[in-house]
Amino acid sequence: MRVLILGADGYLGWPTCMYFSKREHEVIGVDNYFRRMACIELDCEPLIPNPNLVERAKIWEEITSKKIYVHIGDVTNYQFLKFVFEEYKPDVVIHYAEQPSAPYSMISRDKAAFTITNNLLSTLNVVYAVKEVNPSCHIIKLGTMGEYGTPNIDIPEGWIEIEYNGRKDKFLFPRQASSLYHTTKIQDTDLLCFYVRTWGIRVTDLMQGPVYGISTDETDLDEKLMPNFNYDEIFGTVLNRFIVQAIVGHPLTVYGKGGQTRGYINLKDTLQCVYLAAMNPPKQGELRIFNQITETFTVNQLAEKVKQVGEKLGYKVEIQHLPNPRKEAEEHYYNPKYTGLLELGLKPHYLTDEVLEEMFKIVEKYKDNIKTHKIFRGIKW
Ligand code: USQ
């Protein structure tokens, strides 16, 4: 397959490029370095310095003799995106080119406006490029479990059948986001749903939960191929943050009561899921939705696990309950379904003590890079 990856320099993007390339697919990676620039602007650079995307692709080629084509540009610029589509005519486009952080989207009006413009326009442009250049191209779009929020009923994979006044129909499951960022993901899904109905394009929308992890089989080949591992409040996800905090002796930052439950997934499984979606495309005119998680935890459970494993490794780990800077339910029902990807063949890497220990061991090597002032600044909403 010819695979176009938008957001190829990101935490998920770069490992995805290598994963497909290793499996003999032709990979084209596109990025505008938004995340790198935002990390410099907001003083929250990742734990390990990463070579830029062009350099990463060169290092990958030196090690594996496999080429990843790189284009630096902005997906919200339609002329640029259309040029890339015309040049390569991809079979599948993986759209990660979004502003991915809930706290970032809540910093100011300007950051909210950027999040809306970037996320919606990039999705619209992908739809148009597919329609105008290659209508059979399969769009794989990264959505988020946060689109559903935390409803007091079970969460199906995207769709719900409703019976009302004696009649039945199938709808997108009602969505209730808890940040502006998550709201843009809902709007993306609505856009895709509209164009699937109208133009018969084919789309897989992956509702992913918070990802953790720092290594994959491909990143293990060379330190310079490691993913961008953020541990700050803006771009770092909760479990990655807790490991870094445990290592530097910072009390684990549990927000509020810590009963917030989410579906989590190992970075290695994100790659498997996206790959399985690409290898098993939906038919034309279908919007297929999978919940991309492998198990659920409360924040308190994650903190306890990190404390236990950290203490086994000789760290003194304290758990702290901070006043929650976010508006979210801290105790709630949560029962999502996530069987679709398992049925396609996903073999999950669950969050065992061994997995946590391995993460501790890798992060420990970069301990001197950790800057404690980046851990918590209290972006509120
Ligand atoms: N949390 C803490 N302490 C922290 C950081 C987070 O208690 O130091 C809590 C949050 O309040 C939240 C949960 O942990 O209840 C998860 O927070 P997170 O920062 O790991 O994840 P979130 O902001 O929800 O966003 C991340 C990704 C986003 C993705 C989303 C999936 O940044 O791109 O869409 O996970 S989901 O959460 O299912 O919507």
Side-chain angles (χ1 to χ4, degrees):
M1 281 183 303
R2 202 172 259 191
V3 188
L4 173 60
I5 299 175
L6 308 175
D9 191 47
Y11 176 51
L12 308 178
W14 174 241
T16 306
C17 287
M18 294 188 289
Y19 193 89
F20 277 83
S21 175
K22 183 174 170 192
R23 287 158 183 78
E24 307 301 338
H25 301 287
E26 192 175 318
V27 175
I28 306 104
V30 166
D31 206 287
N32 67 348
Y33 292 146
F34 156 74
R35 163 86 160 248
R36 284 181 188 259
M37 304 307 222
C39 287
I40 294 171
E41 179 200 341
L42 297 164
D43 183 29
C44 58
E45 286 97 333
L47 181 68
I48 308 159
N50 306 110
N52 69 38
L53 186 56
V54 176
E55 290 165 348
R56 285 169 148 180
K58 270 197 202 123
I59 297 162
W60 175 249
E61 191 174 346
E62 279 160 21
I63 295 174
T64 63
S65 306
K66 296 183 197 304
K67 192 163 181 63
I68 293 175
Y69 299 88
V70 170
H71 289 270
I72 302 305
D74 191 334
V75 174
T76 65
N77 174 346
Y78 186 59
Q79 297 321 315
F80 166 71
L81 184 68
K82 198 171 172 196
F83 155 78
V84 174
F85 261 78
E86 281 169 342
E87 189 77 9
Y88 296 98
K89 304 229 168 36
D91 301 304
V92 51
V93 52
I94 300 169
H95 178 19
Y96 292 135
E98 301 220 327
Q99 190 298 94
S101 157
Y104 181 97
S105 75
M106 302 300 290
I107 292 176
S108 64
R109 196 232 56 118
D110 288 0
K111 301 261 185 288
F114 172 81
T115 304
I116 293 176
T117 317
N118 183 79
N119 294 3
L120 297 186
L121 214 48
S122 62
T123 301
L124 181 76
N125 285 351
V126 170
V127 168
Y128 263 85
V130 165
K131 158 96 167 16
E132 292 186 342
V133 182
N134 193 5
S136 64
C137 176
H138 172 199
I139 299 174
I140 298 183
K141 165 71 173 57
L142 195 74
T144 167
M145 285 299 288
E147 293 185 33
Y148 304 121
T150 51
N152 200 29
I153 59 171
D154 296 349
I155 301 173
E157 299 204 71
W159 300 93
I160 186 167
E161 205 174 81
I162 297 180
E163 189 173 341
Y164 180 65
N165 286 350
R167 301 180 68 83
K168 267 194 210 157
D169 206 342
K170 194 177 141 191
F171 302 92
L172 283 171
F173 187 81
R175 278 116 3 108
Q176 276 178 304
S178 63
S179 79
L180 188 270
Y181 150 73
H182 288 99
T183 303
T184 63
K185 291 281 187 169
I186 294 175
Q187 294 168 323
D188 282 339
T189 300
D190 282 334
L191 270 180
L192 292 168
C193 193
F194 168 69
Y195 285 114
V196 164
R197 288 197 307 271
T198 308
W199 289 341
I201 55 173
R202 54 171 151 177
V203 178
T204 302
D205 202 349
L206 297 170
M207 302 297 151
Q208 186 170 245
V211 182
Y212 60 86
I214 189 165
S215 67
T216 69
D217 291 347
E218 291 74 45
T219 64
D220 288 348
L221 293 173
D222 189 301
E223 182 185 59
K224 296 199 196 79
L225 299 176
M226 300 278 276
N228 339 339
F229 184 89
N230 280 82
Y231 58 94
D232 58 278
E233 172 189 337
I234 301 172
F235 291 112
T237 48
V238 62
L239 183 64
N240 291 351
R241 282 164 56 64
F242 282 177
I243 299 221
V244 168
Q245 292 169 8
I247 288 176
V248 285
H250 189 291
L252 307 190
T253 54
V254 173
Y255 295 165
K257 292 187 188 141
Q260 303 91 308
T261 310
R262 301 286 183 269
Y264 289 84
I265 183 164
N266 189 312
L267 176 59
K268 293 176 182 166
D269 292 344
T270 293
L271 307 184
Q272 275 193 72
C273 291
V274 173
Y275 193 75
L276 285 166
M279 298 303 284
N280 301 278
K283 53 185 190 307
Q284 288 292 141
E286 185 186 351
L287 169 61
R288 176 178 62 170
I289 301 177
F290 291 124
N291 292 343
Q292 189 159 301
I293 57 178
T294 59
E295 49 197 332
T296 62
F297 298 106
T298 63
V299 178
N300 286 331
Q301 285 170 327
L302 293 180
E304 279 304 329
K305 277 177 178 288
V306 170
K307 182 177 164 71
Q308 237 176 43
V309 171
E311 290 187 340
K312 200 169 111 196
L313 296 174
Y315 292 99
K316 190 172 170 326
V317 184
E318 232 183 275
I319 297 176
Q320 179 186 29
H321 287 261
L322 295 171
N324 197 337
R326 306 182 180 194
K327 292 245 166 33
E328 60 184 356
E330 293 174 9
E331 279 168 333
H332 57 89
Y333 180 76
Y334 200 63
N335 187 25
K337 182 173 177 233
Y338 42 99
T339 50
L341 287 158
L342 292 169
E343 281 158 18
L344 284 187
L346 169 66
K347 303 268 176 296
H349 294 78
Y350 293 111
L351 185 60
T352 58
D353 286 4
E354 292 68 44
V355 166
L356 281 166
E357 263 180 49
E358 192 192 309
M359 285 179 69
F360 265 91
K361 298 252 158 70
I362 299 175
V363 174
E364 263 165 7
K365 288 198 229 159
Y366 303 93
K367 191 177 171 188
D368 293 345
N369 294 352
I370 302 171
K371 307 266 190 312
T372 44
H373 74 274
K374 295 182 198 255
I375 289 175
F376 186 75
R377 65 177 86 190
I379 297 164
K380 274 175 87 139
W381 58 94

mmCIF file of all heavy atoms in Angstrom, residues 154-191:
data_model
loop_
_atom_site.group_PDB
_atom_site.id
_atom_site.type_symbol
_atom_site.label_atom_id
_atom_site.label_comp_id
_atom_site.label_asym_id
_atom_site.label_seq_id
_atom_site.Cartn_x
_atom_site.Cartn_y
_atom_site.Cartn_z
ATOM 1 N N ASP A 154 -24.001 2.504 28.799
ATOM 2 C CA ASP A 154 -22.885 1.864 28.092
ATOM 3 C C ASP A 154 -22.552 2.646 26.819
ATOM 4 O O ASP A 154 -23.430 3.265 26.211
ATOM 5 C CB ASP A 154 -23.263 0.431 27.703
ATOM 6 C CG ASP A 154 -23.496 -0.445 28.933
ATOM 7 O OD1 ASP A 154 -23.167 0.002 30.045
ATOM 8 O OD2 ASP A 154 -24.017 -1.568 28.756
ATOM 9 N N ILE A 155 -21.270 2.570 26.409
ATOM 10 C CA ILE A 155 -20.837 3.272 25.187
ATOM 11 C C ILE A 155 -20.570 2.221 24.095
ATOM 12 O O ILE A 155 -19.672 1.405 24.231
ATOM 13 C CB ILE A 155 -19.539 4.076 25.441
ATOM 14 C CG1 ILE A 155 -19.752 5.106 26.561
ATOM 15 C CG2 ILE A 155 -19.058 4.734 24.160
ATOM 16 C CD1 ILE A 155 -18.476 5.817 26.990
ATOM 17 N N PRO A 156 -21.330 2.262 23.012
ATOM 18 C CA PRO A 156 -21.085 1.320 21.917
ATOM 19 C C PRO A 156 -19.948 1.826 21.027
ATOM 20 O O PRO A 156 -19.372 2.882 21.301
ATOM 21 C CB PRO A 156 -22.410 1.350 21.163
ATOM 22 C CG PRO A 156 -22.930 2.730 21.385
ATOM 23 C CD PRO A 156 -22.430 3.184 22.733
ATOM 24 N N GLU A 157 -19.630 1.107 19.943
ATOM 25 C CA GLU A 157 -18.569 1.582 19.035
ATOM 26 C C GLU A 157 -19.198 2.511 17.993
ATOM 27 O O GLU A 157 -19.506 2.126 16.872
ATOM 28 C CB GLU A 157 -17.816 0.410 18.415
ATOM 29 C CG GLU A 157 -17.170 -0.411 19.512
ATOM 30 C CD GLU A 157 -15.963 -1.233 19.091
ATOM 31 O OE1 GLU A 157 -14.899 -0.648 18.814
ATOM 32 O OE2 GLU A 157 -16.083 -2.459 19.058
ATOM 33 N N GLY A 158 -19.391 3.750 18.404
ATOM 34 C CA GLY A 158 -19.790 4.797 17.471
ATOM 35 C C GLY A 158 -21.277 4.977 17.262
ATOM 36 O O GLY A 158 -21.775 6.088 17.274
ATOM 37 N N TRP A 159 -22.003 3.892 17.075
ATOM 38 C CA TRP A 159 -23.393 3.987 16.644
ATOM 39 C C TRP A 159 -24.347 3.454 17.706
ATOM 40 O O TRP A 159 -24.005 2.546 18.441
ATOM 41 C CB TRP A 159 -23.588 3.177 15.353
ATOM 42 C CG TRP A 159 -22.726 3.677 14.236
ATOM 43 C CD1 TRP A 159 -21.484 3.221 13.902
ATOM 44 C CD2 TRP A 159 -23.016 4.741 13.323
ATOM 45 N NE1 TRP A 159 -20.989 3.929 12.837
ATOM 46 C CE2 TRP A 159 -21.910 4.875 12.455
ATOM 47 C CE3 TRP A 159 -24.109 5.614 13.149
ATOM 48 C CZ2 TRP A 159 -21.854 5.823 11.440
ATOM 49 C CZ3 TRP A 159 -24.051 6.552 12.134
ATOM 50 C CH2 TRP A 159 -22.938 6.656 11.299
ATOM 51 N N ILE A 160 -25.548 4.012 17.725
ATOM 52 C CA ILE A 160 -26.573 3.513 18.662
ATOM 53 C C ILE A 160 -27.911 3.418 17.929
ATOM 54 O O ILE A 160 -28.238 4.275 17.091
ATOM 55 C CB ILE A 160 -26.690 4.431 19.910
ATOM 56 C CG1 ILE A 160 -27.650 3.830 20.935
ATOM 57 C CG2 ILE A 160 -27.119 5.846 19.536
ATOM 58 C CD1 ILE A 160 -27.582 4.493 22.311
ATOM 59 N N GLU A 161 -28.657 2.354 18.229
ATOM 60 C CA GLU A 161 -29.999 2.227 17.660
ATOM 61 C C GLU A 161 -30.976 2.773 18.687
ATOM 62 O O GLU A 161 -30.907 2.406 19.862
ATOM 63 C CB GLU A 161 -30.285 0.755 17.367
ATOM 64 C CG GLU A 161 -31.324 0.616 16.284
ATOM 65 C CD GLU A 161 -31.509 -0.831 15.872
ATOM 66 O OE1 GLU A 161 -32.244 -1.543 16.588
ATOM 67 O OE2 GLU A 161 -30.922 -1.230 14.859
ATOM 68 N N ILE A 162 -31.827 3.669 18.261
ATOM 69 C CA ILE A 162 -32.791 4.276 19.202
ATOM 70 C C ILE A 162 -34.218 3.956 18.758
ATOM 71 O O ILE A 162 -34.553 4.085 17.573
ATOM 72 C CB ILE A 162 -32.585 5.811 19.282
ATOM 73 C CG1 ILE A 162 -31.189 6.109 19.839
ATOM 74 C CG2 ILE A 162 -33.659 6.473 20.159
ATOM 75 C CD1 ILE A 162 -30.858 7.580 19.973
ATOM 76 N N GLU A 163 -35.028 3.531 19.718
ATOM 77 C CA GLU A 163 -36.443 3.319 19.442
ATOM 78 C C GLU A 163 -37.209 4.444 20.125
ATOM 79 O O GLU A 163 -37.007 4.710 21.318
ATOM 80 C CB GLU A 163 -36.882 1.955 19.991
ATOM 81 C CG GLU A 163 -38.266 1.615 19.525
ATOM 82 C CD GLU A 163 -38.685 0.191 19.898
ATOM 83 O OE1 GLU A 163 -37.812 -0.645 20.200
ATOM 84 O OE2 GLU A 163 -39.899 -0.042 19.895
ATOM 85 N N TYR A 164 -38.057 5.140 19.392
ATOM 86 C CA TYR A 164 -38.775 6.291 19.935
ATOM 87 C C TYR A 164 -40.173 6.328 19.331
ATOM 88 O O TYR A 164 -40.298 6.260 18.105
ATOM 89 C CB TYR A 164 -37.987 7.569 19.591
ATOM 90 C CG TYR A 164 -38.610 8.844 20.103
ATOM 91 C CD1 TYR A 164 -38.726 9.086 21.464
ATOM 92 C CD2 TYR A 164 -39.063 9.818 19.210
ATOM 93 C CE1 TYR A 164 -39.294 10.250 21.930
ATOM 94 C CE2 TYR A 164 -39.621 10.998 19.667
ATOM 95 C CZ TYR A 164 -39.745 11.201 21.030
ATOM 96 O OH TYR A 164 -40.315 12.363 21.489
ATOM 97 N N ASN A 165 -41.158 6.404 20.170
ATOM 98 C CA ASN A 165 -42.564 6.409 19.716
ATOM 99 C C ASN A 165 -42.846 5.281 18.730
ATOM 100 O O ASN A 165 -43.463 5.487 17.679
ATOM 101 C CB ASN A 165 -42.918 7.766 19.080
ATOM 102 C CG ASN A 165 -43.072 8.845 20.141
ATOM 103 O OD1 ASN A 165 -43.089 8.539 21.347
ATOM 104 N ND2 ASN A 165 -43.176 10.092 19.717
ATOM 105 N N GLY A 166 -42.269 4.111 19.049
ATOM 106 C CA GLY A 166 -42.584 2.929 18.244
ATOM 107 C C GLY A 166 -41.786 2.780 16.964
ATOM 108 O O GLY A 166 -41.999 1.843 16.197
ATOM 109 N N ARG A 167 -40.856 3.718 16.683
ATOM 110 C CA ARG A 167 -40.044 3.597 15.456
ATOM 111 C C ARG A 167 -38.571 3.528 15.853
ATOM 112 O O ARG A 167 -38.164 4.045 16.875
ATOM 113 C CB ARG A 167 -40.289 4.786 14.526
ATOM 114 C CG ARG A 167 -41.746 4.922 14.120
ATOM 115 C CD ARG A 167 -41.947 6.105 13.205
ATOM 116 N NE ARG A 167 -41.317 5.895 11.900
ATOM 117 C CZ ARG A 167 -41.895 5.215 10.909
ATOM 118 N NH1 ARG A 167 -43.085 4.698 11.066
ATOM 119 N NH2 ARG A 167 -41.271 5.069 9.762
ATOM 120 N N LYS A 168 -37.742 2.897 14.959
ATOM 121 C CA LYS A 168 -36.326 2.695 15.269
ATOM 122 C C LYS A 168 -35.452 3.334 14.203
ATOM 123 O O LYS A 168 -35.810 3.343 13.024
ATOM 124 C CB LYS A 168 -36.023 1.186 15.212
ATOM 125 C CG LYS A 168 -36.140 0.474 16.520
ATOM 126 C CD LYS A 168 -35.482 -0.885 16.375
ATOM 127 C CE LYS A 168 -36.134 -1.891 17.287
ATOM 128 N NZ LYS A 168 -35.934 -3.256 16.846
ATOM 129 N N ASP A 169 -34.266 3.810 14.605
ATOM 130 C CA ASP A 169 -33.281 4.268 13.612
ATOM 131 C C ASP A 169 -31.898 4.181 14.253
ATOM 132 O O ASP A 169 -31.776 4.036 15.470
ATOM 133 C CB ASP A 169 -33.592 5.713 13.178
ATOM 134 C CG ASP A 169 -33.075 6.015 11.772
ATOM 135 O OD1 ASP A 169 -32.204 5.264 11.287
ATOM 136 O OD2 ASP A 169 -33.541 7.007 11.169
ATOM 137 N N LYS A 170 -30.846 4.272 13.415
ATOM 138 C CA LYS A 170 -29.460 4.179 13.907
ATOM 139 C C LYS A 170 -28.803 5.555 13.786
ATOM 140 O O LYS A 170 -28.906 6.188 12.733
ATOM 141 C CB LYS A 170 -28.721 3.159 13.030
ATOM 142 C CG LYS A 170 -27.408 2.700 13.585
ATOM 143 C CD LYS A 170 -26.820 1.631 12.669
ATOM 144 C CE LYS A 170 -25.335 1.812 12.558
ATOM 145 N NZ LYS A 170 -24.730 1.015 11.520
ATOM 146 N N PHE A 171 -28.143 5.997 14.858
ATOM 147 C CA PHE A 171 -27.528 7.328 14.894
ATOM 148 C C PHE A 171 -26.116 7.234 15.446
ATOM 149 O O PHE A 171 -25.779 6.270 16.141
ATOM 150 C CB PHE A 171 -28.313 8.263 15.831
ATOM 151 C CG PHE A 171 -29.745 8.444 15.466
ATOM 152 C CD1 PHE A 171 -30.735 7.628 16.015
ATOM 153 C CD2 PHE A 171 -30.120 9.431 14.560
ATOM 154 C CE1 PHE A 171 -32.070 7.792 15.673
ATOM 155 C CE2 PHE A 171 -31.459 9.600 14.218
ATOM 156 C CZ PHE A 171 -32.434 8.780 14.771
ATOM 157 N N LEU A 172 -25.333 8.292 15.216
ATOM 158 C CA LEU A 172 -24.074 8.417 15.953
ATOM 159 C C LEU A 172 -24.431 8.514 17.428
ATOM 160 O O LEU A 172 -25.395 9.197 17.789
ATOM 161 C CB LEU A 172 -23.327 9.691 15.532
ATOM 162 C CG LEU A 172 -22.600 9.640 14.191
ATOM 163 C CD1 LEU A 172 -22.107 11.034 13.811
ATOM 164 C CD2 LEU A 172 -21.441 8.650 14.219
ATOM 165 N N PHE A 173 -23.661 7.857 18.280
ATOM 166 C CA PHE A 173 -23.921 7.910 19.719
ATOM 167 C C PHE A 173 -23.839 9.373 20.176
ATOM 168 O O PHE A 173 -22.971 10.118 19.710
ATOM 169 C CB PHE A 173 -22.871 7.063 20.449
ATOM 170 C CG PHE A 173 -23.133 6.895 21.915
ATOM 171 C CD1 PHE A 173 -24.041 5.944 22.363
ATOM 172 C CD2 PHE A 173 -22.471 7.687 22.850
ATOM 173 C CE1 PHE A 173 -24.300 5.792 23.726
ATOM 174 C CE2 PHE A 173 -22.724 7.531 24.212
ATOM 175 C CZ PHE A 173 -23.632 6.582 24.641
ATOM 176 N N PRO A 174 -24.729 9.813 21.080
ATOM 177 C CA PRO A 174 -24.675 11.217 21.532
ATOM 178 C C PRO A 174 -23.304 11.538 22.128
ATOM 179 O O PRO A 174 -22.750 10.728 22.862
ATOM 180 C CB PRO A 174 -25.751 11.285 22.618
ATOM 181 C CG PRO A 174 -26.567 10.063 22.474
ATOM 182 C CD PRO A 174 -25.760 9.037 21.757
ATOM 183 N N ARG A 175 -22.789 12.707 21.789
ATOM 184 C CA ARG A 175 -21.438 13.051 22.230
ATOM 185 C C ARG A 175 -21.437 14.296 23.116
ATOM 186 O O ARG A 175 -22.229 15.212 22.890
ATOM 187 C CB ARG A 175 -20.520 13.211 21.008
ATOM 188 C CG ARG A 175 -20.022 11.865 20.504
ATOM 189 C CD ARG A 175 -20.425 11.394 19.115
ATOM 190 N NE ARG A 175 -21.189 12.236 18.297
ATOM 191 C CZ ARG A 175 -20.740 12.864 17.232
ATOM 192 N NH1 ARG A 175 -19.479 12.753 16.879
ATOM 193 N NH2 ARG A 175 -21.534 13.592 16.502
ATOM 194 N N GLN A 176 -20.550 14.274 24.106
ATOM 195 C CA GLN A 176 -20.485 15.368 25.088
ATOM 196 C C GLN A 176 -19.041 15.532 25.497
ATOM 197 O O GLN A 176 -18.539 14.773 26.337
ATOM 198 C CB GLN A 176 -21.271 14.982 26.338
ATOM 199 C CG GLN A 176 -22.736 15.239 26.263
ATOM 200 C CD GLN A 176 -23.417 14.772 27.530
ATOM 201 O OE1 GLN A 176 -23.299 13.616 27.926
ATOM 202 N NE2 GLN A 176 -24.104 15.680 28.191
ATOM 203 N N ALA A 177 -18.355 16.493 24.900
ATOM 204 C CA ALA A 177 -16.929 16.634 25.162
ATOM 205 C C ALA A 177 -16.673 17.406 26.446
ATOM 206 O O ALA A 177 -17.528 18.169 26.895
ATOM 207 C CB ALA A 177 -16.287 17.374 24.005
ATOM 208 N N SER A 178 -15.444 17.247 26.995
ATOM 209 C CA SER A 178 -15.129 18.011 28.195
ATOM 210 C C SER A 178 -13.962 18.968 27.970
ATOM 211 O O SER A 178 -13.320 19.404 28.916
ATOM 212 C CB SER A 178 -14.842 17.071 29.363
ATOM 213 O OG SER A 178 -13.718 16.302 29.056
ATOM 214 N N SER A 179 -13.663 19.278 26.710
ATOM 215 C CA SER A 179 -12.718 20.363 26.412
ATOM 216 C C SER A 179 -13.015 20.839 24.994
ATOM 217 O O SER A 179 -13.699 20.144 24.230
ATOM 218 C CB SER A 179 -11.260 19.882 26.486
ATOM 219 O OG SER A 179 -10.907 19.169 25.305
ATOM 220 N N LEU A 180 -12.465 22.007 24.634
ATOM 221 C CA LEU A 180 -12.679 22.496 23.269
ATOM 222 C C LEU A 180 -12.003 21.561 22.270
ATOM 223 O O LEU A 180 -12.541 21.272 21.207
ATOM 224 C CB LEU A 180 -12.139 23.927 23.173
ATOM 225 C CG LEU A 180 -12.388 24.741 21.910
ATOM 226 C CD1 LEU A 180 -11.323 24.592 20.863
ATOM 227 C CD2 LEU A 180 -13.751 24.467 21.279
ATOM 228 N N TYR A 181 -10.818 21.071 22.648
ATOM 229 C CA TYR A 181 -10.125 20.107 21.765
ATOM 230 C C TYR A 181 -11.038 18.916 21.464
ATOM 231 O O TYR A 181 -11.227 18.532 20.303
ATOM 232 C CB TYR A 181 -8.813 19.626 22.415
ATOM 233 C CG TYR A 181 -8.452 18.226 21.987
ATOM 234 C CD1 TYR A 181 -7.968 17.986 20.701
ATOM 235 C CD2 TYR A 181 -8.647 17.129 22.836
ATOM 236 C CE1 TYR A 181 -7.693 16.682 20.285
ATOM 237 C CE2 TYR A 181 -8.381 15.845 22.426
ATOM 238 C CZ TYR A 181 -7.903 15.626 21.154
ATOM 239 O OH TYR A 181 -7.649 14.348 20.736
ATOM 240 N N HIS A 182 -11.607 18.308 22.514
ATOM 241 C CA HIS A 182 -12.466 17.137 22.295
ATOM 242 C C HIS A 182 -13.689 17.509 21.445
ATOM 243 O O HIS A 182 -14.173 16.707 20.659
ATOM 244 C CB HIS A 182 -12.913 16.538 23.641
ATOM 245 C CG HIS A 182 -11.822 15.826 24.389
ATOM 246 N ND1 HIS A 182 -11.112 16.396 25.419
ATOM 247 C CD2 HIS A 182 -11.301 14.578 24.254
ATOM 248 C CE1 HIS A 182 -10.215 15.535 25.888
ATOM 249 N NE2 HIS A 182 -10.303 14.422 25.201
ATOM 250 N N THR A 183 -14.156 18.754 21.608
ATOM 251 C CA THR A 183 -15.294 19.206 20.810
ATOM 252 C C THR A 183 -14.945 19.224 19.319
ATOM 253 O O THR A 183 -15.762 18.849 18.474
ATOM 254 C CB THR A 183 -15.746 20.612 21.284
ATOM 255 O OG1 THR A 183 -16.055 20.520 22.677
ATOM 256 C CG2 THR A 183 -16.967 21.103 20.531
ATOM 257 N N THR A 184 -13.706 19.627 19.001
ATOM 258 C CA THR A 184 -13.332 19.636 17.567
ATOM 259 C C THR A 184 -13.304 18.219 17.000
ATOM 260 O O THR A 184 -13.543 18.018 15.818
ATOM 261 C CB THR A 184 -11.970 20.315 17.313
ATOM 262 O OG1 THR A 184 -10.930 19.582 17.982
ATOM 263 C CG2 THR A 184 -11.963 21.754 17.765
ATOM 264 N N LYS A 185 -13.010 17.247 17.852
ATOM 265 C CA LYS A 185 -12.995 15.855 17.373
ATOM 266 C C LYS A 185 -14.422 15.395 17.049
ATOM 267 O O LYS A 185 -14.649 14.642 16.116
ATOM 268 C CB LYS A 185 -12.368 14.940 18.422
ATOM 269 C CG LYS A 185 -10.882 15.171 18.613
ATOM 270 C CD LYS A 185 -10.117 14.492 17.492
ATOM 271 C CE LYS A 185 -8.626 14.544 17.746
ATOM 272 N NZ LYS A 185 -7.842 13.707 16.856
ATOM 273 N N ILE A 186 -15.390 15.862 17.848
ATOM 274 C CA ILE A 186 -16.797 15.556 17.556
ATOM 275 C C ILE A 186 -17.174 16.177 16.215
ATOM 276 O O ILE A 186 -17.815 15.549 15.368
ATOM 277 C CB ILE A 186 -17.713 16.129 18.670
ATOM 278 C CG1 ILE A 186 -17.464 15.412 19.989
ATOM 279 C CG2 ILE A 186 -19.175 16.057 18.262
ATOM 280 C CD1 ILE A 186 -18.250 15.995 21.169
ATOM 281 N N GLN A 187 -16.746 17.425 16.029
ATOM 282 C CA GLN A 187 -17.086 18.118 14.789
ATOM 283 C C GLN A 187 -16.421 17.436 13.586
ATOM 284 O O GLN A 187 -17.009 17.365 12.506
ATOM 285 C CB GLN A 187 -16.671 19.597 14.906
ATOM 286 C CG GLN A 187 -17.499 20.309 15.971
ATOM 287 C CD GLN A 187 -16.947 21.668 16.344
ATOM 288 O OE1 GLN A 187 -15.736 21.877 16.413
ATOM 289 N NE2 GLN A 187 -17.823 22.621 16.596
ATOM 290 N N ASP A 188 -15.202 16.926 13.775
ATOM 291 C CA ASP A 188 -14.539 16.146 12.712
ATOM 292 C C ASP A 188 -15.402 14.952 12.323
ATOM 293 O O ASP A 188 -15.594 14.661 11.142
ATOM 294 C CB ASP A 188 -13.212 15.564 13.213
ATOM 295 C CG ASP A 188 -12.072 16.577 13.248
ATOM 296 O OD1 ASP A 188 -12.153 17.593 12.551
ATOM 297 O OD2 ASP A 188 -11.094 16.307 13.977
ATOM 298 N N THR A 189 -15.885 14.236 13.340
ATOM 299 C CA THR A 189 -16.700 13.046 13.060
ATOM 300 C C THR A 189 -17.957 13.449 12.288
ATOM 301 O O THR A 189 -18.355 12.776 11.332
ATOM 302 C CB THR A 189 -17.075 12.317 14.369
ATOM 303 O OG1 THR A 189 -15.875 11.928 15.030
ATOM 304 C CG2 THR A 189 -17.909 11.064 14.097
ATOM 305 N N ASP A 190 -18.558 14.563 12.695
ATOM 306 C CA ASP A 190 -19.761 15.032 11.984
ATOM 307 C C ASP A 190 -19.442 15.368 10.525
ATOM 308 O O ASP A 190 -20.208 15.040 9.621
ATOM 309 C CB ASP A 190 -20.359 16.252 12.689
ATOM 310 C CG ASP A 190 -21.155 15.856 13.934
ATOM 311 O OD1 ASP A 190 -21.647 14.705 13.976
ATOM 312 O OD2 ASP A 190 -21.272 16.675 14.857
ATOM 313 N N LEU A 191 -18.290 16.026 10.311
ATOM 314 C CA LEU A 191 -17.881 16.351 8.936
ATOM 315 C C LEU A 191 -17.720 15.080 8.107
ATOM 316 O O LEU A 191 -18.221 14.974 6.987
ATOM 317 C CB LEU A 191 -16.510 17.042 8.951
ATOM 318 C CG LEU A 191 -16.428 18.542 9.070
ATOM 319 C CD1 LEU A 191 -14.966 18.988 9.062
ATOM 320 C CD2 LEU A 191 -17.159 19.211 7.915
#
